[in-house]
Amino acid sequence: MFPAPSDEVLSVRNLSIGFRTPGGILPAVQDVSFSVRRGETLALVGESGSGKSITSLGILRLTPPAPFCQVRGEVILRTPDGRAHDLLALPEPEMRSLRGDAMAMVFQEPMTSLNPVHTIGEQIAEAVRFHRGLGKRAALGRAAELLELVGIPNPHRRLSNYPHQLSGGMRQRAMIAMALSCEPSLLIADEPTTALDVTIQAQILELLQELQQKTRMAVIFITHNLGVVAEIADRVMVMYAGRVVEQAPVVPLFKAPRMPYTQGLLRSVPRLDWAGRRGEKLAAIPGNVPDALAPPSGCAFAPRCEHHRPGLCDAAVPPLEASGADHDVRCVRWSELLPEAAA
Amino acid sequence: MSALLEVRDLQRWFPVKGGILSGTRDHVKAVDGVSFDVRRGEVLSLVGESGSGKSTIGRTVLRLDTPTGGRIRFDGHDITDLTRAGMRPLRPRMQLVFQDPYASLNPRHTVEQIIAAPLEIHGARMNAAERRRRVEEALALVGLLPQHASRYPHEFSGGQRQRVGIARALITRPDFLIADEPVSALDVSIQAQVVNLLLELREQLGLTILFIAHDLAVVGHISDRIAVLYLGRLVELAETRSLFTRPRHPYTEALLSAAPIPDPTLKRQRIVLQGDIPSPLNPPSGCSFRTRCRYALPACSASRPPLREVAPGHFKACIRDDLVLAADAA
Amino acid sequence: MIPAQNPAAAAAPVLRAAPRRRLRNPALRRFCRHRLAVFGACAVTLLTLLCIAAPPLLPYSDTFIDIRARFTPPGGSSAHLLGTDQLGRDMLSRLLMAGRISLAVGFSAMLISMVIGVCVGLVAGYYRGVLGTVLMRFVDAMLCFPSIFLLLAVSAFIEPSVSSIILLIACTSWMEVARIVEGQIRALRERDFTLAAHAIGAGDARIMFRELLPNAVAPIVVAATLNVAHAILAESYISFLGYGIQPPTPSWGNMLDNAQTYLESAPWLAILPGAMIALAVTSFNFIGDGLRDALDPRMEGR
Ligand SMILES: Nc1ncnc2c1ncn2[C@@H]1O[C@H](COP(=O)(O)OP(=O)(O)O)[C@@H](O)[C@H]1O
Ligand SMILES: Nc1ncnc2c1ncn2[C@@H]1O[C@H](COP(=O)(O)OP(=O)(O)O)[C@@H](O)[C@H]1O
Ligand code: SF4
Ligand code: SF4
Ligand SMILES: [Mg+2]
Ligand SMILES: [Mg+2]
C-alpha cells in the first residue's frame, strides 16, 4: 500500500554530500533516498565510514560549511501542523528553530554533546525556553518532568547535576530527555548505545521504544549492531561506501537479504543461539572497505564479493532496483542469486 | 590437562584520595578475590561490563601491574613477586593483544620495527636477513603481506592494525596469549576475520588464550570456558555450552537476555536489569549484585557468597540454589 | 561539483601561475604553505652562509682600522658598503663576524639546553613519583626566577667568554623544554603502545628513547627553534649590558653596547646590529611557528 503522504515525516531525495580534501573530493554520501513515517523506526546500518553519520548531519544541516562540504538533493520535513519544510533551502534562522524542536538528535557519546560547565537542568531548560518561550521556573519544571519520563530517579535532584556526575547510561538518558523536550516529530539517534554496556543498552532501547509508542515520533536509528537492528527497527537501510545498497522491512531483510553484502554481514556475526557451532569458522567477508577517495569503478562491494562477475559488476555502479514490495537492492545479479539466498 | 596459569584470590585495589580532611584512603577494588585456572590449550573467556576489572586482571596476570593480594602461577612458577627483570625471561612465553589497534602500535615505528622489537629485546642474536625472515613469517601467519613490513601503522585499516598487533604478540612463539577485547573496536565484517584468525592460530600453534570481551556472542563462539565478572569478582564460571544453556547466576541470565540477537522474528521475554553498576569504591555488602538482582533475598546482604561448584565444572557465587534460570539462548 | 582547488593556491596567485607540483612530503607541504616560515628559513640559511663564507671575501677584515674613514655612513663609500664605526672598522665585516659569534652562541646554547631539557623532561615524565615531582618542582622554581636577572647576576661574577656565555644561557633556558617534554611523555606513557613495550619486556631506556621520545619530536623541534631565538636575544642583552662577549670579539649585542655613545651622530652603528638581531630572532620565531603547523598532521584533513 502506498503510504498516505501525510504520514511521511521525513522524505530524503537524492541526497549527496561531498567533502573537499587535499586528496580530492570525498563523496561521503551519494544519491541517498528514503522516507520515514510517523511512528516508524528506520535503522541505518553500515560499517564505519559508510556515511551514516554524515547522512544524518546532512538532514539537520550540521555538516561543515559550504566550500569544504557540499550538500545536494532534497530533504522535506513535515511538521504536525501540516507544513512541509524544504530543509536544504531553508534560511539558517528557520532551520535553527526546527532543530531541537521538530527534529532532534542523540549522539553516541553524550559527554561530548553535553556542555560540561552547565547543569543537566540548565541545559534541558535552555532548549525548552528557546523553542517554547517558557519562563525559567516553568522550563525547569518541564526539565524535571522530562528526566522522570526517561527514567532518571530523583529527577528534581538530578537537575542540578553536572554531566560528569552522571554515569554513561544516565547521561544518555539525559541526552534523550533533552532531545524529547519539544516533542519532536523526528528523532535521529546516532549509535546511541554503542558506548554502553549490554545491560544499559537494553534499558535505553526499551526506553526509546516506549517513548516512541507514546509520542508516535519517527526515529532514524543509526547503528552497526545487527542485533540491535533486529530488536528495534521496522525498516532497515543498509549503506556501503556512501550508497544505499539494500532497503527493506526488517523481517525480509534478515530472512531473505538480497544484496551479497547484507548476506555476508548477517552470516559473519556470531549468534548467542549458535551454541552448537562453537569454534567453527565464521563466514567473514574478506578484505576491507574501499578507499573513499578511490572507489572501485562499478559496484563498490565488488572487490569483496564472492558473486562478483568481471565485466558485469565493475562496468557501472549498479542501480538501486525494486526487487519486490518495498524491497530495494543495489546489485546487478540479485535476481540470478535469488535461489541461493533463499536456500 | 594441567593448568598453565593459576590465579588464586587475586586482588588489585587502586588507592584513591579521600576528602581533603579525612586522612583515610579509599580503594577502588578493581579486582577483589578472583580465582581461576587457564588450562593448557584452552580458550578461557572473561566477560563482564566495562569497569568490572577484566583488563586489570589481564595486566596483573602478565605482571604489568602488581597485585595487592593473591598468587599467580604460570607454568608452575610463582610469578606474583617477580621483579621486572625476573619477569623478562618469561615475557616471550606470555603475550598480550590490545583492544585499541590505534593506540597500541607506536605511530613512529614501521611494522617491521614493531614486530621485531620482542626479538631484539630478548637478545635473539640474528642478522638483518634472519630478522626480516622472522618478521615476514609472522606477517604471513596473520595474513599480511611481506611488503607491509616497511609501512607505518597509519597506513593500515583497523583490522589490519589488529593483525599487526597479533603478529607482534606471536613472533616470540608464546604459549599463552591474553587478548583484551581484540575485536571490540572493529567493524562487524572485520570482527569475524579476526575471530577466525585467532581460532586458526590457536589450532595451528596450540595457543592457550585468555580472551577478554564483553560481547557474549563472540565469547560463546570462541571459548571453551567462560568466567563472568561483576564488580571485580567472579560470579560464574562454566563450560561455554553449560553456561549458555543453563546459566546459574542471575547476572549471567540477565547478560544473556540483554545481548541482542540478530533475528527480528525471535520474540524474547527480556530481562532488563534496573539501575547502574554500583561504584567499585563502595560496592554493596554481601552479594555485590543484590542491588540489581530480581531474586535478591534479605540474606543476600549478609555475607559475600563464595564461588561454589554447583554442577561438575560449573561454579557460581550466589546463595540461591532454588532458581531455575531462563536460558533463552539455548 | 565542488571546484577542486587548493585554498593555499587561491590565496597565492603567484604560486598558481607556476605548474602545480605537489610536494610529496605532507609536512614539508604544510611548512611551505606558511609563507613567513619559508621567509624565515631562507633568511636564516642566507645569514648563516654569509656569516660563514663571506668575511674572507670582503676587502677589509673586521679588525682592520681605517682611521681616515671613521664614521662613514652606509653607502658613503664604495669600499665600505655599510659604512664604518668610530675606529673606521668596516661595519659589514664586523656584522658578519659578530653574526658568527651570535649564531654560534644561539645554536650551541640551544643544543645544550635541549639536551638538559629533554633529559630532565623525559626522566620526570617517565618516572613521575618522587623523582618526577622533585625534578618538576625544581623546574618550576627555576622558571619563577626571572632568567634575565639570573643571567646578569651570574655573568657579573664569572669571567666572560664565549663558552661561559653559552653555558650560562643554556642553563637558564632548558626549563621550558623540560616542561614540554615532561607533559608529552606523561601523556604518551599512558598510551597502550607503552604498555605493549612493557609486555614484551622492554627496559626503561628502550621505552624512553625508542618508544616515547620519537613521538615527542615535533614539539621538541619547535621548542628548539624558538630556543635559538631566545639564546640570540639573551646573548644580545648581556653583551649590550657589558657582561657578555667582550670586545674586540664582536657580537651583535656588544656592537649595540658600543653604539650607545654615538646614537645621535652615527645611528647606523646601532640600527645595523639591531636589525640583524631582529631579523635573526623573528626568522627563528617564524620557523618555529611554521614547524608547529607542519609537524601537526591535524592541520590537514589527511
Ligand atoms: N569533516 C570531514 N572531512 C572529510 N571527510 C569526512 C568528514 N567527516 C566525515 N568524512 C568522511 O565521510 C565518510 C562517512 O563518514 P561517516 O558518515 O562519519 O561514517 P559512519 O557511517 O561511520 O557514521 C567517511 O569516509 C569519512 O572519512
Ligand atoms: N590505574 C588505575 N587507577 C585507578 N583506578 C583504576 C585504574 N585502572 C583501572 N581502574 C579502575 O578499576 C576498575 C576496573 O577497570 P578495568 O580493569 O579497566 O575494567 P574493564 O577492563 O573490565 O572495563 C574500574 O573501576 C577502573 O576505574
Ligand atoms: S553487483 Fe556484482 S559485485 Fe556487486 S554485489 Fe552484486 S554480484 Fe556482487
Ligand atoms: S546471592 Fe542473592 S542477590 Fe546475589 S545473585 Fe544470588 S540471589 Fe541475587
Ligand atoms: Mg558514525
Ligand atoms: Mg578493559
Side-chain angles (χ1 to χ4, degrees):
Chain A
M1 198 191 79
F2 202 75
S6 62
D7 213 19
E8 232 173 55
V9 175
L10 181 81
S11 123
V12 175
R13 291 286 154 251
N14 309 105
L15 182 69
S16 294
I17 301 176
F19 286 100
R20 196 163 79 182
T21 69
I25 301 294
L26 189 151
V29 173
Q30 295 182 68
D31 209 18
V32 166
S33 301
F34 63 91
S35 58
V36 204
R37 286 171 240 159
R38 230 163 88 79
E40 182 184 50
T41 301
L42 172 72
L44 225 59
V45 211
E47 293 178 75
S48 60
S50 58
K52 307 181 296 292
S53 300
I54 298 300
T55 301
S56 62
L57 292 179
I59 293 169
L60 290 173
R61 279 221 337 239
L62 290 174
T63 45
F68 305 105
C69 174
Q70 181 133 341
V71 182
R72 278 172 301 130
E74 188 188 62
V75 180
I76 306 282
L77 178 78
R78 286 199 178 71
T79 39
D81 55 10
R83 289 201 301 157
H85 307 263
D86 183 355
L87 297 188
L88 297 187
L90 227 50
E92 186 56 31
E94 282 180 48
M95 193 64 201
R96 212 174 301 140
S97 68
L98 282 178
R99 259 185 238 132
D101 186 357
M103 51 186 182
M105 186 147 179
V106 177
F107 296 91
Q108 171 174 347
E109 188 28 80
M111 203 55 204
T112 54
S113 29
L114 288 171
N115 189 334
V117 300
H118 293 297
T119 63
I120 298 291
E122 280 165 7
Q123 295 187 57
I124 301 178
E126 172 69 26
V128 184
R129 289 176 67 187
F130 177 73
H131 291 293
R132 290 286 177 270
L134 291 184
K136 192 166 180 166
R137 289 197 49 155
L140 274 176
R142 172 86 181 123
E145 266 172 49
L146 285 162
L147 288 184
E148 178 143 38
L149 181 73
V150 296
I152 294 185
N154 299 323
H156 285 280
R157 238 187 50 211
R158 288 294 179 191
L159 284 179
S160 54
N161 278 171
Y162 288 91
H164 69 91
Q165 294 172 306
L166 303 183
S167 68
M170 284 300 161
R171 276 201 289 269
Q172 199 56 285
R173 283 174 193 265
M175 259 317 279
I176 293 174
M178 198 180 309
L180 295 183
S181 58
C182 297
E183 292 165 359
S185 338
L186 173 69
L187 178 74
I188 302 181
D190 189 353
E191 313 236 7
T193 60
T194 303
L196 304 176
D197 283 312
V198 272
T199 60
I200 310 297
Q201 166 172 284
Q203 293 174 359
I204 297 289
L205 292 181
E206 191 178 55
L207 171 70
L208 277 175
Q209 278 173 315
E210 229 178 75
L211 292 171
Q212 190 185 22
Q213 255 159 26
K214 261 188 229 162
T215 62
R216 306 275 299 141
M217 61 186 171
V219 175
I220 299 180
F221 193 102
I222 299 177
T223 178
H224 62 258
N225 187 330
L226 291 166
V228 171
V229 174
E231 202 116 312
I232 80 157
D234 298 311
R235 228 147 36 88
V236 187
M237 189 164 98
V238 183
M239 287 185 77
Y240 190 78
R243 286 199 164 85
V244 178
V245 295
E246 185 157 7
Q247 169 160 237
V250 65
V251 175
L253 190 108
F254 277 82
K255 293 298 169 184
R258 294 193 170 153
M259 166 75 186
Y261 172 63
T262 318
Q263 294 166 2
L265 213 53
L266 283 167
R267 258 179 311 187
S268 67
V269 282
R271 288 177 48 164
L272 263 189
D273 45 358
W274 276 3
R277 298 171 62 175
R278 198 184 57 71
E280 258 179 51
K281 282 280 206 60
L282 292 170
I285 304 177
N288 286 298
V289 187
D291 179 359
L293 280 173
S297 58
C299 170
F301 185 59
R304 306 172 73 186
C305 179
E306 54 179 333
H307 305 297
H308 164 242
R309 188 66 66 75
L312 181 66
C313 299
D314 37 25
V317 177
L320 189 67
E321 286 177 64
S323 76
D326 203 12
H327 194 149
D328 301 333
V329 50
R330 189 187 294 280
C331 168
V332 283
R333 302 193 58 204
W334 72 265
S335 47
E336 280 173 71
L337 300 172
L338 262 188
E340 192 173 326
Chain B
M1 231 192 312
S2 62
L4 182 61
L5 180 80
E6 295 162 62
V7 176
R8 292 288 168 272
D9 293 321
L10 187 70
Q11 279 183 331
R12 180 64 176 105
W13 293 5
F14 294 103
V16 287
K17 295 219 174 66
I20 301 171
L21 296 178
S22 70
T24 55
R25 278 188 138 186
D26 279 342
H27 291 274
V28 172
K29 299 177 179 175
V31 179
D32 195 17
V34 165
S35 305
F36 60 90
D37 286 349
V38 185
R39 300 176 192 150
R40 241 172 260 277
E42 83 167 340
V43 179
L44 174 73
S45 286
L46 280 179
V47 281
E49 295 175 271
S50 62
S52 57
K54 306 182 295 294
S55 300
T56 306
I57 292 181
R59 280 201 305 271
T60 316
V61 157
L62 286 183
R63 286 302 322 283
L64 295 170
D65 196 347
T66 306
T68 312
R71 308 307 302 173
I72 306 162
R73 291 169 73 82
F74 178 72
D75 200 14
H77 309 283
D78 190 325
I79 61 169
T80 324
D81 302 315
L82 286 186
T83 59
R84 248 175 97 189
M87 274 304 290
R88 192 159 300 150
L90 284 171
R91 292 262 174 244
R93 297 190 52 198
M94 42 205 309
Q95 283 292 328
L96 180 60
V97 176
F98 292 83
Q99 168 173 7
D100 184 346
Y102 293 83
S104 57
L105 304 179
N106 192 330
R108 297 276 165 175
H109 288 179
T110 62
V111 165
E112 174 163 9
Q113 286 173 312
I114 291 171
I115 298 181
L119 293 179
E120 285 171 23
I121 290 163
H122 296 289
R125 247 176 274 118
M126 53 179 67
N127 57 29
E130 166 78 352
R131 189 178 106 136
R132 181 82 189 191
R133 199 186 55 71
R134 283 284 293 272
V135 168
E136 284 175 11
E137 193 182 281
L139 285 174
L141 201 58
V142 297
L144 291 173
L145 302 171
Q147 60 263 34
H148 288 144
S150 51
R151 303 212 185 137
Y152 286 90
H154 72 258
E155 298 174 61
F156 292 93
S157 67
Q160 287 173 317
R161 289 181 201 214
Q162 203 54 297
R163 288 171 191 265
V164 172
I166 295 174
R168 163 176 61 193
L170 293 180
I171 196 156
T172 55
R173 297 168 181 153
D175 29 17
F176 180 52
L177 192 68
I178 294 188
D180 189 354
E181 311 225 19
V183 301
S184 304
L186 304 178
D187 267 315
V188 185
S189 78
I190 308 298
Q191 274 190 6
Q193 293 177 6
V194 174
V195 167
N196 281 350
L197 176 64
L198 285 172
L199 284 170
E200 248 167 57
L201 291 172
R202 177 213 177 179
E203 201 70 358
Q204 210 174 325
L205 309 175
L207 284 175
T208 304
I209 302 178
L210 180 63
F211 188 85
I212 297 175
H214 64 257
D215 182 341
L216 270 170
V218 171
V219 163
H221 197 79
I222 198 168
S223 32
D224 298 299
R225 292 190 304 147
I226 299 177
V228 183
L229 217 62
Y230 188 76
L231 274 180
R233 299 175 187 175
L234 281 189
V235 295
E236 188 161 3
L237 172 69
E239 305 254 317
T240 302
R241 177 182 285 272
S242 173
L243 188 95
F244 275 31
T245 51
R246 187 150 167 21
R248 314 251 179 169
H249 194 283
Y251 177 60
T252 314
E253 179 199 40
L255 268 186
L256 285 168
S257 171
I261 294 183
D263 185 346
T265 51
L266 200 71
K267 288 298 166 227
R268 295 190 292 165
Q269 199 52 47
R270 264 281 176 84
I271 302 165
V272 176
L273 283 185
Q274 298 308 309
D276 273 321
I277 307 179
S279 155
L281 261 178
N282 49 6
S285 63
C287 173
S288 47
F289 184 57
R290 71 184 162 81
T291 49
R292 301 168 80 196
C293 179
R294 53 186 196 148
Y295 309 107
L297 299 174
C300 297
S301 60
S303 69
R304 182 172 155 180
L307 195 67
R308 306 172 285 132
E309 189 160 12
V310 288
H314 200 134
F315 300 80
K316 76 161 179 183
C318 167
I319 57 167
R320 292 192 61 173
D321 286 333
D322 53 329
L323 302 173
V324 177
L325 301 179
D328 69 311
Chain C
M1 276 307 287
I2 305 163
Q5 189 193 60
N6 182 329
V14 193
L15 283 181
R16 192 162 35 178
R20 282 259 316 274
R21 197 165 45 90
R22 281 186 73 90
L23 290 163
R24 276 234 353 269
N25 186 329
L28 192 57
R29 192 167 67 225
R30 285 193 296 268
F31 186 81
C32 291
R33 269 205 319 239
H34 212 292
R35 309 179 79 212
L36 285 175
V38 175
F39 163 78
C42 294
V44 164
T45 316
L46 197 67
L47 200 58
T48 313
L49 287 178
L50 277 177
C51 288
I52 293 171
L57 308 176
L58 293 175
Y60 300 96
S61 92
D62 64 304
T63 47
F64 179 78
I65 297 177
D66 186 354
I67 209 79
R68 282 166 308 168
R70 290 169 67 207
F71 294 119
T72 312
S77 146
S78 59
H80 301 288
L81 213 53
L82 292 181
T84 59
D85 66 2
Q86 76 280 12
L87 296 175
R89 291 175 296 191
D90 184 51
M91 277 301 279
L92 178 56
S93 209
R94 271 179 69 72
L95 278 176
L96 293 182
M97 287 310 282
R100 282 188 180 183
I101 300 292
S102 291
L103 289 174
V105 169
F107 278 110
S108 320
M110 177 272 283
L111 280 179
I112 298 173
S113 69
M114 292 316 281
V115 170
I116 304 176
V118 166
C119 288
V120 170
L122 201 52
V123 168
Y126 185 72
Y127 289 106
R128 290 179 304 182
V130 179
L131 181 57
T133 314
V134 169
L135 278 175
M136 289 324 286
R137 288 294 83 78
F138 178 62
V139 168
D140 289 344
M142 290 281 291
L143 273 174
C144 288
F145 208 86
S147 65
I148 193 70
F149 284 134
L150 197 67
L151 273 174
L152 292 177
V154 181
S155 55
F157 287 106
I158 57 166
E159 177 87 355
S161 74
V162 175
S163 45
S164 66
I165 294 297
I166 291 175
L167 278 179
L168 198 58
I169 295 175
C171 286
T172 54
S173 58
W174 56 271
M175 293 85 71
E176 276 301 334
V177 183
R179 266 252 187 101
I180 292 169
V181 173
E182 193 255 358
Q184 291 277 321
I185 298 300
R186 205 160 41 152
L188 287 168
R189 61 160 286 158
E190 298 303 326
R191 299 265 293 274
D192 272 354
F193 67 78
T194 311
L195 190 61
H198 279 290
I200 58 178
D204 288 344
R206 186 190 166 98
I207 295 179
M208 280 194 274
F209 289 100
R210 299 269 305 267
E211 302 281 343
L212 300 179
L213 197 53
N215 283 286
V217 162
I220 292 176
V221 168
V222 173
T225 20
L226 301 180
N227 224 303
V228 178
H230 169 84
I232 292 175
L233 213 51
E235 182 272 326
S236 310
Y237 276 141
I238 36 184
S239 297
F240 175 70
L241 295 172
Y243 298 114
I245 311 288
Q246 297 300 311
T249 312
S251 85
W252 289 333
N254 69 23
M255 283 176 77
L256 265 183
D257 176 26
N258 170 50
Q260 282 187 92
T261 336
Y262 315 103
L263 264 187
E264 271 172 38
S265 57
W268 65 90
L269 293 188
I271 292 173
L272 287 173
M276 294 305 267
I277 295 170
L279 177 69
V281 169
T282 45
S283 295
F284 277 110
N285 281 329
F286 287 150
I287 298 176
D289 282 351
L291 284 174
R292 199 194 313 273
D293 292 354
L295 296 175
D296 182 357
R298 278 170 305 181
M299 293 303 291
E300 192 158 27
R302 50 177 60 206

